[in-house]
Amino acid sequence: MKFDPYRKRASWLALSDDLPPQPSSCRKMPATADSLPPEIILKICSLRVGHLWLVPRYAALRGLSLVGRKWRGPAQALLHESIFIKTPSSAESLVDVGRRFKMATSTLEIIGNHHLPQELLMNVVAAVGGVREVRLRSFYALQEEILYHPSLKDLKTLVLENTLQIFPSRSPTFLHPFCLHSLTIDSLAQVPSSLIASLFLSSPSLRSLTLAVHPSCHDLIISIEASFPSIGPSLTFLSISNLPPTLLKSCSSLETLEHTGFSSNGLLEEYLQNLPEDGERLKELRTHGRDLPVGKELLRILDLPTCEGLRTLQLAGWSDIDVRRTEWWAELRKACEQRATALRLRE
């Protein structure tokens, strides 16, 4: 008998009529990308963009916005989450977008190598909303009024780096609209004393502070020394360079101390001796450069009362091969093991 495929198919269809009805869930349409909750879509976009190194950020977000109708909003939100400005044209484009749409930006970084006009900078700050971190780098000149704009009311982190001159505000009665948690002042030449005082006074709950000052900036050092007691008790992280050791007398909550630019072993010991003995015990000590104390000097520092609870000692500027050639490495490692202190190297 010749095989008939159509006959077999007809018999299968007849049997299927006798089968019990299937649950309704089996007859639903397959799930699509648009059916995901908005929180999951935003998390997927964040993970996708966060792990990209070679693909430009805007290209990745543009591709994600084309996945589905509900993916466009989260992709656009991440597009303006972190803004980097280096040229006047990019600043003008941001201002133009800010006039048409309301942007929620968390990080704003501006590089001033191209001499951005001060009025354009003010328009950029006004265009963003809800910014929590601002980084201003490599400015030849900067107006202090930028830091008083009302749109910075949610600012928590401020970084000022490699700026030659900051012109003082025309109205010294201005008050900062923000309360900082982290402040970095690195390689600034001419800074008005009013700016340092207002930044410190407006941030009584400052937790992290980085101060890298050139020894020739006497006025800046004096203004920092005068205003430092208002923020010292709340600091948990402090990175300093070329500043008087007496600053640490008010740091009763300090947990991590990072020092750079020291030229003598005794200065580090003087810094640690100025920490209040009745305050929080230092948990981490970071040193930079090959002029750090070694051998018996470093062991004597570890025996100070303020270093009794030290958990981590980090030596930067030394490789594993370099330290093994020294005479003090074995002794230092043994002392750290006895104190249950982790010893780390960083080139």
Side-chain angles (χ1 to χ4, degrees):
M1 181 177 178
K2 193 173 181 180
F3 176 74
D4 186 2
Y6 298 100
R7 181 180 179 184
K8 185 175 181 180
R9 182 185 178 195
S11 62
W12 181 85
L13 291 174
L15 290 174
S16 64
D17 294 336
D18 299 332
L19 294 176
Q22 298 296 318
S24 59
S25 59
C26 297
R27 298 195 300 268
K28 285 184 177 180
M29 295 296 293
T32 62
D34 272 347
S35 63
L36 294 174
E39 297 81 5
I40 302 298
I41 296 177
L42 183 60
K43 185 65 175 180
I44 293 174
C45 293
S46 302
L47 293 175
R48 173 62 178 164
V49 176
H51 289 82
L52 292 178
W53 296 95
L54 300 178
V55 182
R57 182 184 180 90
Y58 68 89
L61 291 173
R62 183 179 182 275
L64 290 171
S65 66
L66 298 177
V67 172
R69 179 176 56 85
K70 292 184 178 181
W71 288 65
R72 183 176 180 181
Q76 287 182 341
L78 288 174
L79 180 64
H80 298 133
E81 185 180 25
S82 181
I83 297 177
F84 176 79
I85 293 178
K86 190 175 181 180
T87 61
S89 59
S90 60
E92 292 172 356
S93 299
L94 176 65
V95 173
D96 182 58
V97 172
R99 290 171 180 170
R100 293 179 294 167
F101 305 100
K102 184 178 181 181
M103 295 182 296
T105 305
S106 61
T107 303
L108 175 63
E109 183 173 355
I110 305 177
I111 306 296
N113 292 330
H114 293 268
H115 305 289
L116 296 175
Q118 300 297 316
E119 184 178 356
L120 182 58
L121 287 177
M122 293 291 289
N123 293 335
V124 168
V125 174
V128 297
V131 62
R132 300 181 64 85
E133 181 176 353
V134 172
R135 299 176 177 268
L136 302 176
R137 308 177 188 269
S138 304
F139 277 87
Y140 175 79
L142 193 65
Q143 294 287 347
E144 188 182 356
E145 279 87 355
I146 294 178
L147 300 176
Y148 295 100
H149 201 279
S151 63
L152 300 179
K153 59 183 178 63
D154 297 325
L155 187 65
K156 299 301 179 183
T157 301
L158 176 62
V159 178
L160 300 174
E161 290 183 350
N162 301 322
T163 297
L164 184 61
Q165 185 176 11
I166 297 181
F167 293 103
S169 172
R170 300 174 184 176
S171 177
T173 58
F174 279 172
L175 295 176
H176 289 289
F178 49 77
C179 180
L180 297 177
H181 290 172
S182 177
L183 174 62
T184 298
I185 299 177
D186 190 357
S187 303
L188 302 185
Q190 299 181 18
V191 180
S193 58
S194 60
L195 175 61
I196 299 298
S198 59
L199 287 175
F200 286 1
L201 292 175
S202 63
S203 304
S205 59
L206 192 67
R207 307 288 290 176
S208 175
L209 178 62
T210 300
L211 294 173
V213 182
H214 195 271
S216 61
C217 301
H218 302 292
D219 295 338
L220 179 58
I221 294 176
I222 293 174
S223 60
I224 291 175
E225 191 174 9
S227 305
F228 195 86
S230 62
I231 60 169
S234 64
L235 290 178
T236 58
F237 172 85
L238 177 61
S239 176
I240 51 177
S241 173
N242 303 317
L243 289 169
T246 54
L247 291 179
L248 275 70
K249 288 185 176 180
S250 60
C251 298
S252 57
S253 303
L254 195 64
E255 298 179 358
T256 302
L257 176 63
E258 180 179 31
H259 69 85
T260 59
F262 294 149
S263 58
S264 64
N265 298 342
L267 188 57
L268 174 59
E269 187 173 357
E270 190 176 353
Y271 267 87
L272 295 173
Q273 287 176 345
N274 276 276
L275 284 173
E277 295 185 2
D278 57 344
E280 191 76 23
R281 288 292 183 264
L282 198 64
K283 296 180 181 179
E284 185 173 355
L285 179 61
R286 304 176 186 175
T287 59
H288 289 255
R290 295 199 171 218
D291 55 352
L292 54 86
V294 294
K296 296 181 179 179
E297 292 82 2
L298 187 54
L299 292 174
R300 186 174 65 250
I301 288 175
L302 293 178
D303 289 332
L304 293 174
T306 53
C307 294
E308 288 180 356
L310 196 65
R311 299 177 182 175
T312 304
L313 175 61
Q314 178 177 290
L315 309 181
W318 292 82
S319 65
D320 185 64
I321 298 177
D322 293 336
V323 295
R324 293 183 185 276
R325 296 174 181 174
T326 62
E327 300 177 355
W328 49 269
W329 173 246
E331 186 179 5
L332 176 62
R333 186 172 58 180
K334 182 179 179 180
C336 290
E337 290 177 355
Q338 293 175 352
R339 293 172 172 81
T341 301
L343 185 59
R344 300 176 180 174
L345 298 177
R346 188 167 65 87
E347 297 187 31

